[in-house]
């Protein structure tokens, strides 16, 4: 009887320590623990987990606050070294079959920055994760296998399901459309040497008046007939499309004595043209990875449309 009381007290203290700063009645915890362990014969650690879950719900506390990981939560894209202890907030994107008896589960985890392979070792004795669900993977170790990063879930790790749908990296997509507008601050621009921001009249909004360096960019709008996409073409994209890079832009300015001449030259080469762009959709801008001119055969397009009209008339 004395043992039982001591055990319940110790477990109650252990649970209370997780809820520092919350006004929780210890007797409420003890009562539940007693019931679970001695009445319902639930294993101790499961009883602790059940009570914690109950309190989280009851007091409307965020799970992450209670299960604050000791290893910092990192973005998947930032995992580059082996042997690092980290925590991940990620979604199980895919589970694979494993032919190793030492592996309990293997698959892919994802967060908004990327995807990574994960391995849950059988020895870690962890409950199974499910595809499409999000978890905090606390205290996992990075590893690299055949030059690819992965994370290993071992005995010291913890897997906590969270009630949140983790967003995955934007999928790459292709758009085909016309460049219908070129926005302000496009063309032959100057950027701050420290932060890369575009200077306005030689002034960086963060670093004030700075010298800056030359760059080329086009902020534009692509219309694909269904919606509009704001895009940014960098110097490399622009040079590939027009043959005008920073060096060529400099020459144009030297000849015309006008910085603006570069933008008019670029506009005449790019505006109203069809493009095929491959990239991903960010918050505001479509992030261009590849861009090329698309030659639309006007005669062929017209014939296509005509034949469509004829088909309609036949019906
Ligand atoms: Zn700056």
């Amino acid at each position: 009887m004395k043992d039982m009381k001591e055990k319940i007290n110790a477990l109650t203290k252990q649970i209370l320590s997780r809820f520092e700063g919350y006004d929780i009645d210890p007797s409420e915890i003890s009562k539940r623990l007693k019931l679970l362990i001695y009445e319902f014969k639930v294993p101790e650690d499961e009883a602790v987990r059940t009570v914690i879950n109950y309190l989280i719900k009851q007091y409307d506390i965020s799970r992450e606050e209670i299960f604050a990981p000791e290893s910092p939560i990192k973005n998947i894209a930032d995992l580059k070294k082996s042997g690092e202890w980290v925590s991940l907030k990620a979604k199980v994107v895919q589970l694979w079959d494993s032919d190793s008896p030492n592996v309990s589960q293997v698959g892919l985890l994802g967060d908004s920055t990327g995807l990574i392979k994960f391995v849950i070792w059988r020895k870690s004795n962890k409950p199974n994760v499910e595809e499409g669900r999000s978890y905090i993977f606390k205290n996992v170790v990075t590893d690299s296998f055949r030059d690819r990063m992965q994370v290993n879930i071992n005995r010291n790790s913890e897997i906590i399901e969270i009630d949140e749908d983790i967003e995955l990296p934007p999928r790459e997509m292709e758009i085909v459309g016309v460049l219908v507008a070129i926005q302000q601050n496009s063309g032959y621009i100057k950027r701050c040497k420290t932060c890369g921001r575009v200077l306005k009249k030689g002034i960086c909004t963060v670093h004030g008046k700075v010298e800056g360096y030359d760059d080329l960019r086009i902020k534009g709008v692509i219309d694909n007939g269904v919606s509009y996409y704001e895009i940014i073409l960098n110097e490399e994209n622009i040079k590939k499309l027009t043959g005008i890079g920073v060096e060529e832009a400099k020459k144009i300015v030297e000849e015309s004595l006008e910085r603006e001449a570069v933008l008019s030259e670029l506009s005449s080469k790019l505006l109203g043209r069809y493009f095929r762009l491959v990239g991903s959709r960010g918050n505001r801008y479509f992030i261009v990875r590849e861009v090329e001119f698309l030659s639309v055969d006007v005669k062929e397009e017209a014939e296509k449309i005509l034949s469509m009209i004829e088909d309609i008339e036949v019906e």
Side-chain angles (χ1 to χ4, degrees), residues 62-81:
S62 83
R63 292 189 70 89
E64 285 168 72
E65 207 175 322
I66 299 312
F67 293 103
E70 291 113 49
S71 308
I73 290 198
K74 287 218 170 176
N75 288 330
I76 287 174
D78 294 335
L79 304 181
K80 297 201 168 97
K81 279 203 310 260

Side-chain angles (χ1 to χ4, degrees), residues 243-292:
I244 299 172
V246 166
E247 286 310 308
E248 291 76 15
K250 202 175 276 172
K251 278 187 202 116
I252 294 173
V253 174
E254 279 163 10
E255 277 161 27
S256 64
L257 300 173
E258 262 184 275
R259 245 183 131 75
E260 285 305 305
V262 178
L263 183 56
S264 16
E265 181 96 24
L266 292 177
S267 297
S268 73
K269 285 187 188 316
L270 299 173
L271 210 53
R273 298 283 304 268
Y274 276 86
F275 296 91
R276 189 183 76 93
L277 301 109
V278 178
S280 52
R281 216 174 168 172
N283 274 342
R284 175 168 175 189
Y285 293 100
F286 180 85
I287 315 298
V288 178
R289 191 170 63 74
E290 258 176 52
V291 58
E292 63 181 16

Side-chain angles (χ1 to χ4, degrees), residues 192 195 204 206-207:
C192 174
C195 67
C204 167
V206 173
H207 298 100

Side-chain angles (χ1 to χ4, degrees), residues 191-199 203-208 210:
R191 289 185 188 277
C192 174
K193 270 185 181 152
T194 311
C195 67
R197 282 184 176 81
V198 176
L199 304 181
I203 289 165
C204 167
T205 50
V206 173
H207 298 100
V210 289

Side-chain angles (χ1 to χ4, degrees), residues 23-36:
D23 190 15
I24 290 167
D25 184 2
S27 68
E28 192 185 356
I29 298 175
S30 303
K31 203 175 73 197
R32 282 177 183 274
L33 284 174
K34 250 188 245 167
L35 211 63
L36 286 164

Side-chain angles (χ1 to χ4, degrees), residues 76-278:
I76 287 174
D78 294 335
L79 304 181
K80 297 201 168 97
K81 279 203 310 260
S82 290
E84 229 184 321
W85 286 85
V86 297
S87 295
L88 298 178
K89 201 169 142 183
K91 184 194 246 176
V92 177
V93 179
Q94 241 175 54
L95 289 170
W96 302 330
D97 290 330
S98 168
D99 42 19
S100 164
N102 299 326
V103 169
S104 137
Q105 282 185 302
V106 57
L108 268 188
L109 295 181
D111 68 13
S112 64
T113 68
L115 302 175
I116 196 166
K117 183 184 162 187
F118 74 97
V119 177
I120 304 181
W121 298 101
R122 196 163 293 282
K123 271 194 192 159
S124 75
N125 200 22
K126 295 285 174 271
N128 279 348
V129 295
E130 276 179 48
E131 252 177 44
R133 298 217 172 172
S134 300
Y135 303 84
I136 290 178
F137 294 86
K138 193 165 135 183
N139 300 326
V140 301
V141 189
T142 61
D143 192 8
S144 80
F145 183 69
R146 290 187 188 139
D147 286 339
R148 301 275 280 176
M149 291 304 295
Q150 67 175 54
V151 287
N152 294 326
I153 288 127
N154 58 35
R155 241 182 293 192
N156 295 315
S157 312
E158 205 178 324
I159 304 175
I160 302 146
E161 188 173 350
I162 52 172
D163 201 12
E164 192 182 329
D165 191 26
I166 302 287
E167 211 178 306
L168 296 178
R171 290 223 189 118
E172 199 157 80
M173 59 187 273
E174 182 188 285
I175 50 177
V176 169
V178 189
L179 185 69
V180 291
I182 289 179
Q183 297 166 318
Q184 280 186 339
N185 299 315
S186 291
Y188 193 36
I189 54 167
K190 271 197 188 292
R191 289 185 188 277
C192 174
K193 270 185 181 152
T194 311
C195 67
R197 282 184 176 81
V198 176
L199 304 181
K200 284 172 192 161
K201 292 180 178 156
I203 289 165
C204 167
T205 50
V206 173
H207 298 100
K209 201 166 170 64
V210 289
E211 210 179 300
Y213 65 95
D214 292 317
D215 196 9
L216 272 182
R217 80 154 177 204
I218 295 285
K219 274 171 89 174
V221 180
I222 294 275
D223 176 359
N224 74 343
V226 181
S227 63
Y228 294 103
Y229 297 88
E230 285 188 277
I231 59 153
I232 296 178
L233 301 178
N234 61 20
E235 195 237 357
E236 195 191 329
N237 300 144
I238 295 168
K239 180 146 186 180
K240 186 188 157 207
L241 292 169
T242 65
I244 299 172
V246 166
E247 286 310 308
E248 291 76 15
K250 202 175 276 172
K251 278 187 202 116
I252 294 173
V253 174
E254 279 163 10
E255 277 161 27
S256 64
L257 300 173
E258 262 184 275
R259 245 183 131 75
E260 285 305 305
V262 178
L263 183 56
S264 16
E265 181 96 24
L266 292 177
S267 297
S268 73
K269 285 187 188 316
L270 299 173
L271 210 53
R273 298 283 304 268
Y274 276 86
F275 296 91
R276 189 183 76 93
L277 301 109
V278 178

